[in-house]
Amino acid sequence: DLLLLDVVERILETEAGMTQEMALLKLPGGREKPWHQDHAYFDYPLDQRIVGAWISLDEANLGNSCMRVLAGAHREGPRLHFIRRDWQICDTEVQKERDVIVPLAPGGCLLWHGMLHHGSPCNQSQQPRRALQLHYQPANAGQIETEERMQHFGGKVRGAEC
């Protein structure tokens, strides 16, 4: 049996370090998390691989806001993010025809690349959706300054508009 860390280290091809851990609770009526790339939140070089892990504690389905991803979008590099409803990719830039819905049973785990476009809609059910979210990077990962990260991901910093 492989543990989550074993799988992450196979993906990273090196020893992993955890950079973030969160408990997520989306109650009935809970707001959306707009489309975004997790790499946009971390001060790591663009070529530094980041792995996100989302572990469902409840059934995650279309009604209670399961994760949605844009297949293959991680290969397209950074997208500008703007502060609209959240720190997000501009809605008009999201290629919704590539939207893949990812339902998970309790205990199910979704792993994704830090450049993958993903998000979750409002919880329109009467069921809560709880999950754990973890982010990993190589244990020896280098860091960049926030200003450099924003040159790649920050819309207003680059004079772009959404």
Side-chain angles (χ1 to χ4, degrees):
D1 290 335
L2 290 176
L3 300 175
L4 176 58
L5 188 59
D6 295 327
V7 174
V8 169
E9 288 181 344
R10 284 184 177 194
I11 293 169
L12 292 175
E13 299 177 340
T14 189
E15 182 182 350
M18 185 185 299
T19 193
Q20 184 183 60
E21 56 185 331
M22 297 185 295
L24 304 173
L25 174 61
K26 192 175 280 197
L27 297 173
R31 71 182 187 93
E32 73 171 322
K33 177 65 176 169
W35 294 97
H36 64 282
Q37 296 171 297
D38 288 349
H39 206 120
Y41 291 90
F42 302 114
D43 290 335
Y44 293 115
L46 287 183
D47 63 351
Q48 185 64 69
R49 194 175 297 171
I50 295 172
V51 175
W54 198 85
I55 303 166
S56 184
L57 301 177
D58 299 307
E59 179 179 348
N61 56 47
L62 191 56
N64 72 352
S65 186
C66 65
M67 190 77 71
R68 300 170 90 110
V69 301
L70 290 187
H74 65 288
R75 295 184 193 102
E76 299 166 11
R79 289 288 185 262
L80 295 179
H81 285 61
F82 300 86
I83 298 174
R84 289 287 178 251
R85 296 179 310 283
D86 200 329
W87 179 237
Q88 68 182 79
I89 298 170
C90 190
D91 294 325
T92 59
E93 296 296 317
V94 178
Q95 298 173 354
K96 294 182 179 138
E97 66 276 2
R98 293 168 52 194
D99 182 6
V100 177
I101 298 166
V102 187
L104 290 174
C109 181
L110 172 64
L111 299 174
W112 69 89
H113 191 287
M115 290 287 190
L116 184 68
H117 303 193
H118 65 286
S120 62
C122 297
N123 182 350
Q124 297 179 359
S125 77
Q126 294 303 308
Q127 302 169 323
R129 197 226 52 211
R130 297 174 296 166
L132 300 176
Q133 185 168 302
L134 312 167
H135 286 95
Y136 297 91
Q137 82 294 326
N140 62 353
Q143 294 243 250
I144 60 173
E145 296 294 323
T146 300
E147 294 76 25
E148 182 179 345
R149 173 175 53 93
M150 294 302 285
Q151 288 301 318
H152 300 288
F153 294 103
K156 287 186 179 180
V157 171
R158 292 183 52 189
E161 295 183 14
C162 176

